[in-house]
Amino acid sequence: MAHRHAHFALMNPEPRRASEAQSPEAEQGSPRQGAAAFYEAGLRLLKAGQIVEAEQCGRQALAIDAGHADSLHLLGLLSFASGHTDLAIEWFALAIRQNPNSADYFSNLGVALQRQGRFEEAIKSFDRALVLRPDVAEGWYKFGQLLQQQNRLDEAILSYDRALALDPGHLEAANAGALLHFETNRLEAAIDRFEASLRIDPTQAGALHFKGVCQLRLKRYEEALENCRKALALAPDNAEIINNTGLVLQKLGRHEEALLHFDRAIAHHPDFALVFNHRGTTLAELHRFDEALASYDRAIAIVPGFIDAHWNAALYKLLLGNFAGGWPEREWGRKSAAVGFIDRKFPQPRWRGEAPTAGKTILLHSDEGLGDTIQFCRYATLAAARGARVILEVQDVLQPLLMGLDGVAQCLPKTLPETLPELPHFDLHCPLSDLPLAFATRLDTIPAVPRYLPAPPPARVQDWEQRLGPHDRLRVGLVWSGNPNHGNDRNRSMPLAALGRLLDADARFVSLQKDPRPGDQAVLAERRDVLDLTAHLADFVETAALACCLDLVITVDTSVAHLAAALGRPTWIMLPYTPDYRWLLDRDDSPWYPTVRLFRQDASRDYAPVIARVRDALGERIAAFARPAVERTDR
């Protein structure tokens, strides 16, 4: 996109009568009139690039009238053009003393002060210029540039918007405002400004590209693809545009097309590490894992500290069962804000498995999502078995559930109550998701037991038994979607309507789905065969109590899957073609949870065949549930 650099607002004097347009020597009348003639001649010479001759005219004007403001200003322009910024500032100041009501004088003084790094003075000068002439779009644009340079971003955005409002054809203001909205993650506003820019000039590959990237970040993938392809048509050799077009295709699940774009971007830019990283992810989605890991290796060879490439490589190593290589490399995720680790800083040393823990107090603290906390809190028992006194700090909503975990001396919520303003003393600490690394976990040493979460209070379980009514049919809990903000939500979640065939089975279905999406709410309202008591699920203890009343939980990959499995409940998990690392590949069981059964998508990436297999398996469970009742009747 085009960007205009700060420059002077050259004065545009009123047109002069023909008799006044003669040479300075022909000028008659007062000394001021003579000075004006020399000034105008100097101004014309400046515009023509004849700096020396222009300066001669300016000085002749001042020889006639030493207080001629326009000529003082002209010499400031000439000094600035010659690189003598300090002198330019002096001339502009002299001009302002003679005429303190000229917006151009203040504007150009602001530019000179800005070049000298005297930013606060420059801001004041621009501000005065805009008070005098608030209707000049270019002034607001230049003021925005100065404010942006000073990281006063909100004010800069307002200045760019003001410039665009005054002049809807001001391309630079539209682009500057759009980019600043983009950089501050105000994506909808950025799209509006890029659209304004494209109305001015629809042939800008940059504006189309950035608009597409905004839509990509907003998960509006079809729109993003349209704009990225338009940009690519205008700039077919731009590796960044090719890469982002491939990334949009990747998000749409069109991995073969995405791979073609990544390879094309690499052909134009062989050392583009970001492309190798994205290419690795697409290859992994195609289950070409050796090639994927090689692509990550290439990205890391180009940029050794490439956090995302290290992180992605770690996840796929773990998915493939290479725990020895995966757990250590997963530590790179702690260096990335995008990964979402909660990185706690403590003066006490971090325990990495080597230091003895007998007689020591160790703080184990949650650092990822709710499901991760449930999965990895099992290691607290192992830490206690090594002689440590274990303090467990977890998300507030999980603390009531985990406070009775075996081996835990004290379980605290992350938001400490007023009665405990700070953490108790501890000698060592370890994030929960680091414990597999600290314990050197391998596939055959995963600490898997049928149940490790504390049983919920019997009274709560009884309350749920009463709400559920007679246990005359198989009770099946359902979860069909996860957090919509999860990076892989598009692949792991499904609408409730997709479970239609499953819901026709002769079972008692119970929704465990918190915060169903609007479309799912409508389906729930229509399907009276799905009991929705989620309004009573005030915390995870309630959810655990309800799960203990169910015969089976069928879910996508969410925290409820971990909860039900860690309670030892029969749990069936429906997984996308390329699942989260913890579910591994090519198996229908989980070494982490003995009561789990996995139902995986095939290469079609369609949940319909998965649901069909779940329906068939559910039929067998329903038949098995009914048989004892028949036998009792027969007897």
Side-chain angles (χ1 to χ4, degrees):
M1 289 178 293
H3 293 279
R4 182 183 299 171
H5 297 287
H7 61 279
F8 289 114
L10 291 174
M11 298 180 66
N12 295 303
E14 291 294 320
R16 306 173 68 224
R17 294 189 302 274
S19 61
E20 295 176 331
Q22 309 302 315
S23 68
E25 291 80 1
E27 188 71 44
Q28 302 295 322
S30 69
R32 184 168 294 277
Q33 288 175 322
F38 276 109
Y39 157 72
E40 292 209 20
L43 186 60
R44 288 193 296 272
L45 291 165
L46 171 59
K47 291 179 178 180
Q50 299 179 46
I51 304 298
V52 175
E53 294 82 354
E55 182 179 353
Q56 290 174 350
C57 285
R59 291 192 180 278
Q60 285 177 291
L62 292 175
I64 298 171
D65 179 0
H68 191 261
D70 283 347
S71 296
L72 293 167
H73 178 247
L74 173 63
L75 288 174
L77 295 174
L78 292 164
S79 297
F80 188 90
S82 301
H84 302 297
T85 308
D86 286 336
L87 187 57
I89 291 171
E90 293 180 19
W91 285 115
F92 291 143
L94 289 171
I96 288 169
R97 289 195 192 100
Q98 298 298 319
N99 179 9
N101 297 313
S102 169
D104 285 341
Y105 296 179
F106 280 102
S107 178
N108 290 329
L109 175 60
V111 173
L113 290 165
Q114 182 179 359
R115 176 177 284 185
Q116 289 295 82
R118 296 161 61 178
F119 297 115
E120 290 302 322
E121 296 171 82
I123 288 171
K124 291 177 182 177
S125 191
F126 274 118
D127 189 59
R128 180 60 184 162
L130 291 168
V131 169
L132 292 167
R133 288 285 304 278
D135 58 343
V136 179
E138 183 67 13
W140 287 102
Y141 168 67
K142 289 193 295 183
F143 193 36
Q145 287 184 306
L146 175 58
L147 291 166
Q148 183 175 350
Q149 188 177 6
Q150 290 303 289
N151 207 35
R152 293 166 61 170
L153 304 184
D154 289 341
E155 295 169 90
I157 285 172
L158 290 174
S159 289
Y160 293 140
D161 285 351
R162 179 66 176 155
L164 191 60
L166 288 167
D167 179 6
H170 200 299
L171 183 64
E172 295 86 350
N175 282 333
L179 286 170
L180 200 48
H181 278 291
F182 174 80
E183 290 164 5
T184 54
N185 207 37
R186 305 173 201 191
L187 301 178
E188 294 287 2
I191 289 172
D192 289 343
R193 273 66 176 183
F194 284 125
E195 287 176 348
S197 169
L198 289 164
R199 284 194 292 272
I200 300 166
D201 179 3
T203 65
Q204 299 176 86
L208 286 162
H209 176 225
F210 272 102
K211 182 182 175 185
V213 173
C214 289
Q215 291 162 333
L216 168 63
R217 293 186 180 180
L218 291 168
K219 301 182 181 180
R220 289 157 50 180
Y221 299 128
E222 295 291 352
E223 297 170 76
L225 182 59
E226 179 183 357
N227 282 292
C228 284
R229 281 183 162 165
K230 286 179 180 178
L232 196 54
L234 292 166
D237 298 332
N238 186 301
E240 186 174 355
I241 298 176
I242 300 169
N243 169 65
N244 283 328
T245 306
L247 184 58
V248 176
L249 289 164
Q250 182 188 92
K251 297 297 184 183
L252 286 167
R254 295 160 62 173
H255 296 290
E256 295 286 0
E257 295 173 77
L259 184 59
L260 292 175
H261 282 76
F262 295 140
D263 287 342
R264 177 179 164 190
I266 290 168
H268 286 285
H269 190 342
D271 292 325
F272 200 163
L274 183 64
V275 183
F276 282 101
N277 179 57
H278 291 157
R279 181 174 178 271
T281 301
T282 276
L283 286 164
E285 286 291 339
L286 293 169
H287 286 205
R288 293 161 58 177
F289 294 109
D290 288 343
E291 294 173 80
L293 292 172
S295 197
Y296 292 132
D297 286 345
R298 177 62 180 147
I300 293 166
I302 297 168
V303 180
F306 194 168
I307 295 170
D308 287 352
H310 282 285
W311 169 255
N312 289 330
L315 296 183
Y316 288 115
K317 287 176 183 177
L318 291 171
L319 179 64
L320 295 168
N322 178 6
F323 285 11
W327 295 125
E329 195 157 21
R330 193 171 179 270
E331 287 298 288
W332 279 88
R334 300 199 177 279
K335 301 179 181 181
S336 170
V339 169
F341 279 117
I342 301 170
D343 191 18
R344 306 290 298 281
K345 304 294 185 184
F346 296 112
Q348 293 89 340
R350 180 170 150 192
W351 186 64
R352 302 178 185 274
E354 301 93 348
T357 56
K360 302 287 183 66
T361 297
I362 185 169
L363 172 69
L364 306 180
H365 47 95
S366 61
D367 58 326
E368 289 192 270
L370 300 173
D372 303 283
T373 297
I374 294 171
Q375 179 179 0
F376 296 130
C377 70
R378 71 183 74 199
Y379 284 92
T381 305
L382 273 66
R386 291 193 177 189
R389 180 178 183 273
V390 177
I391 300 174
L392 183 63
E393 182 201 56
V394 298
Q395 295 94 332
D396 295 11
V397 294
L398 287 177
Q399 187 266 344
L401 175 70
L402 301 181
M403 59 189 306
L405 192 67
D406 187 27
V408 173
Q410 195 172 7
C411 183
L412 302 172
K414 282 193 172 293
T415 305
L416 293 175
E418 293 182 3
T419 55
L420 190 66
E422 60 183 25
L423 288 167
H425 167 78
F426 58 94
D427 304 297
L428 304 164
H429 78 95
C430 185
L432 279 178
S433 66
D434 259 15
L435 289 168
L437 174 61
F439 280 91
T441 302
R442 302 294 181 261
L443 275 175
D444 58 350
T445 64
I446 290 174
V449 293
R451 173 179 185 159
Y452 59 87
L453 288 186
R460 295 213 194 183
V461 176
Q462 186 58 39
D463 287 344
W464 280 106
E465 286 287 357
Q466 293 176 0
R467 291 189 185 107
L468 292 172
H471 197 165
D472 54 353
R473 286 187 292 168
L474 191 77
R475 292 174 178 171
V476 181
L478 291 177
V479 182
W480 54 87
S481 65
N483 181 352
N485 296 319
H486 189 280
N488 198 38
D489 181 67
R490 180 184 179 91
N491 294 318
R492 72 173 186 166
S493 295
M494 68 182 79
L496 174 58
L499 295 177
R501 182 180 176 187
L502 185 66
L503 298 178
D504 291 337
D506 185 20
R508 182 60 160 164
F509 291 103
V510 180
S511 173
L512 299 175
Q513 181 70 56
K514 289 292 285 183
D515 304 318
R517 301 175 194 189
D520 297 333
Q521 290 175 348
V523 175
L524 273 174
E526 294 172 0
R527 297 211 63 130
R528 298 299 179 183
D529 50 351
V530 180
L531 184 62
D532 184 10
L533 298 174
T534 52
H536 299 280
L537 298 178
D539 55 35
F540 270 82
V541 175
E542 291 291 354
T543 306
L546 172 54
C548 288
C549 299
L550 303 176
D551 301 300
L552 174 66
V553 173
I554 300 176
T555 177
V556 293
D557 183 7
T558 68
S559 59
V560 174
H562 293 275
L563 175 68
L567 286 165
R569 307 308 299 162
T571 306
W572 294 358
I573 305 174
M574 297 176 286
L575 296 175
Y577 182 54
T578 307
D580 187 79
Y581 75 88
R582 72 199 78 218
W583 306 120
L584 303 168
L585 291 170
D586 303 323
R587 57 191 300 166
D588 59 11
D589 67 332
S590 168
W592 292 97
Y593 298 110
T595 62
V596 156
R597 182 174 176 183
L598 303 175
F599 294 80
R600 301 174 182 272
Q601 285 181 347
D602 58 23
S604 69
R605 295 181 174 81
D606 185 358
Y607 268 121
V610 175
I611 294 167
R613 294 199 304 275
V614 172
R615 175 64 180 84
D616 292 343
L618 181 60
E620 295 174 6
R621 291 295 292 263
I622 292 170
F625 179 84
R627 275 197 294 273
V630 172
E631 291 167 4
R632 286 194 299 271
T633 302
D634 291 342
R635 285 195 298 268

